């Protein structure tokens, strides 16, 4: 990549909610299977380069009791929570050396140990992907921005349930707090 390279010693790949209960739904503009394929390619390369891979999963609890449910004009639809809902997809691992973070809300930095894992390993840059672009990825990105992290967003390693929500995040918001690139560009930037 002409504009920068990624230092594997200070960078972590953070993949949001690539788990059975999330990837089983329809996503746009990228099918969940393609998001998982790209995320798996990124995870392999990051591991090869000695960079930290963090797999984040959301556990809504029994009947979704642990997820926020404030009064809203357009509340998010309820979901049937299957027994394997929070199980990470096997294409991603985890592999030895990976970190698995469990959250109970969209933001992976809120009330989890993600920030401790990043700080104690000297991580200053995060590369984000996952489902959904406008929920888990975006809320984590906002919190990471507030904490001063450098951020890369892998556009084709994320997707949403609504194409416009994905588009707004990757074309209007993410470019104001980091860099938006493709899987191919990130693989080139980290080298190997």
């Amino acid at each position: 990549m002409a504009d920068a390279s990624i230092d594997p010693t200070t960078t972590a790949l953070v993949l949001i909610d690539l788990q059975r209960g999330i990837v089983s739904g329809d996503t746009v503009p990228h099918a969940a299977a393609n998001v998982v394929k790209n995320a798996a390619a990124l995870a392999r390369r990051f591991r090869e380069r000695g960079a930290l891979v963090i797999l984040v999963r959301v556990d809504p609890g029994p009947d979704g009791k642990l997820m926020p449910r404030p009064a809203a004009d357009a509340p998010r639809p309820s979901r049937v929570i299957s027994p394997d809902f929070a199980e990470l997809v096997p294409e991603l691992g985890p592999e030895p050396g990976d970190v698995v973070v469990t959250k109970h809300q969209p933001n992976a930095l809120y009330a989890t140990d993600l920030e401790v894992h990043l700080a104690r390993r000297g991580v200053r840059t995060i590369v984000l992907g996952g489902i959904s672009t406008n929920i888990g990825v975006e809320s984590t990105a906002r919190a990471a921005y507030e904490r001063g992290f450098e951020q890369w967003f892998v556009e084709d390693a994320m997707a949403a349930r609504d194409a416009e929500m994905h588009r707004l995040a990757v074309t209007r918001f993410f470019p104001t707090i980091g860099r938006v690139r493709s899987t191919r560009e990130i693989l080139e930037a980290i080298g190997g």
Side-chain angles (χ1 to χ4, degrees), residues 68-77:
R69 289 280 177 217
D73 288 334
R76 294 176 62 201

mmCIF file of all heavy atoms in Angstrom, residues 68-77:
data_model
loop_
_atom_site.group_PDB
_atom_site.id
_atom_site.type_symbol
_atom_site.label_atom_id
_atom_site.label_comp_id
_atom_site.label_asym_id
_atom_site.label_seq_id
_atom_site.Cartn_x
_atom_site.Cartn_y
_atom_site.Cartn_z
ATOM 1 N N PRO A 68 -28.630 -4.235 25.922
ATOM 2 C CA PRO A 68 -29.390 -3.020 26.223
ATOM 3 C C PRO A 68 -30.720 -3.019 25.470
ATOM 4 O O PRO A 68 -30.783 -3.411 24.314
ATOM 5 C CB PRO A 68 -28.489 -1.897 25.702
ATOM 6 C CG PRO A 68 -27.170 -2.511 25.389
ATOM 7 C CD PRO A 68 -27.374 -3.978 25.259
ATOM 8 N N ARG A 69 -31.758 -2.568 26.122
ATOM 9 C CA ARG A 69 -33.091 -2.471 25.511
ATOM 10 C C ARG A 69 -33.778 -1.179 25.948
ATOM 11 O O ARG A 69 -34.853 -1.205 26.556
ATOM 12 C CB ARG A 69 -33.955 -3.668 25.916
ATOM 13 C CG ARG A 69 -33.542 -4.968 25.295
ATOM 14 C CD ARG A 69 -34.067 -5.063 23.884
ATOM 15 N NE ARG A 69 -33.588 -6.298 23.290
ATOM 16 C CZ ARG A 69 -33.232 -6.410 22.044
ATOM 17 N NH1 ARG A 69 -33.317 -5.375 21.243
ATOM 18 N NH2 ARG A 69 -32.803 -7.546 21.562
ATOM 19 N N PRO A 70 -33.168 -0.038 25.638
ATOM 20 C CA PRO A 70 -33.830 1.208 26.022
ATOM 21 C C PRO A 70 -35.050 1.471 25.147
ATOM 22 O O PRO A 70 -35.175 0.918 24.055
ATOM 23 C CB PRO A 70 -32.749 2.261 25.767
ATOM 24 C CG PRO A 70 -31.951 1.678 24.640
ATOM 25 C CD PRO A 70 -31.941 0.190 24.886
ATOM 26 N N ALA A 71 -35.930 2.340 25.634
ATOM 27 C CA ALA A 71 -37.064 2.763 24.813
ATOM 28 C C ALA A 71 -36.506 3.464 23.578
ATOM 29 O O ALA A 71 -35.566 4.254 23.674
ATOM 30 C CB ALA A 71 -37.964 3.700 25.605
ATOM 31 N N ALA A 72 -37.037 3.141 22.410
ATOM 32 C CA ALA A 72 -36.523 3.713 21.170
ATOM 33 C C ALA A 72 -37.651 3.884 20.162
ATOM 34 O O ALA A 72 -38.629 3.133 20.185
ATOM 35 C CB ALA A 72 -35.440 2.806 20.589
ATOM 36 N N ASP A 73 -37.505 4.864 19.279
ATOM 37 C CA ASP A 73 -38.499 5.080 18.237
ATOM 38 C C ASP A 73 -38.503 3.940 17.220
ATOM 39 O O ASP A 73 -39.544 3.624 16.653
ATOM 40 C CB ASP A 73 -38.242 6.403 17.508
ATOM 41 C CG ASP A 73 -38.586 7.605 18.367
ATOM 42 O OD1 ASP A 73 -39.436 7.475 19.277
ATOM 43 O OD2 ASP A 73 -37.992 8.669 18.131
ATOM 44 N N ALA A 74 -37.347 3.355 16.973
ATOM 45 C CA ALA A 74 -37.232 2.231 16.040
ATOM 46 C C ALA A 74 -36.414 1.139 16.715
ATOM 47 O O ALA A 74 -35.246 0.931 16.391
ATOM 48 C CB ALA A 74 -36.578 2.678 14.739
ATOM 49 N N PRO A 75 -37.000 0.439 17.693
ATOM 50 C CA PRO A 75 -36.228 -0.555 18.437
ATOM 51 C C PRO A 75 -35.703 -1.658 17.530
ATOM 52 O O PRO A 75 -36.315 -1.994 16.521
ATOM 53 C CB PRO A 75 -37.217 -1.107 19.457
ATOM 54 C CG PRO A 75 -38.559 -0.708 18.992
ATOM 55 C CD PRO A 75 -38.392 0.468 18.078
ATOM 56 N N ARG A 76 -34.538 -2.151 17.904
ATOM 57 C CA ARG A 76 -33.964 -3.266 17.156
ATOM 58 C C ARG A 76 -34.840 -4.487 17.372
ATOM 59 O O ARG A 76 -35.344 -4.718 18.471
ATOM 60 C CB ARG A 76 -32.541 -3.512 17.627
ATOM 61 C CG ARG A 76 -31.655 -2.311 17.265
ATOM 62 C CD ARG A 76 -30.263 -2.434 17.773
ATOM 63 N NE ARG A 76 -29.617 -3.595 17.185
ATOM 64 C CZ ARG A 76 -28.568 -4.178 17.725
ATOM 65 N NH1 ARG A 76 -28.058 -3.729 18.859
ATOM 66 N NH2 ARG A 76 -28.016 -5.216 17.141
ATOM 67 N N PRO A 77 -35.020 -5.289 16.334
ATOM 68 C CA PRO A 77 -35.896 -6.458 16.474
ATOM 69 C C PRO A 77 -35.320 -7.482 17.441
ATOM 70 O O PRO A 77 -34.106 -7.621 17.570
ATOM 71 C CB PRO A 77 -35.953 -7.028 15.052
ATOM 72 C CG PRO A 77 -34.799 -6.443 14.330
ATOM 73 C CD PRO A 77 -34.437 -5.162 15.009
#
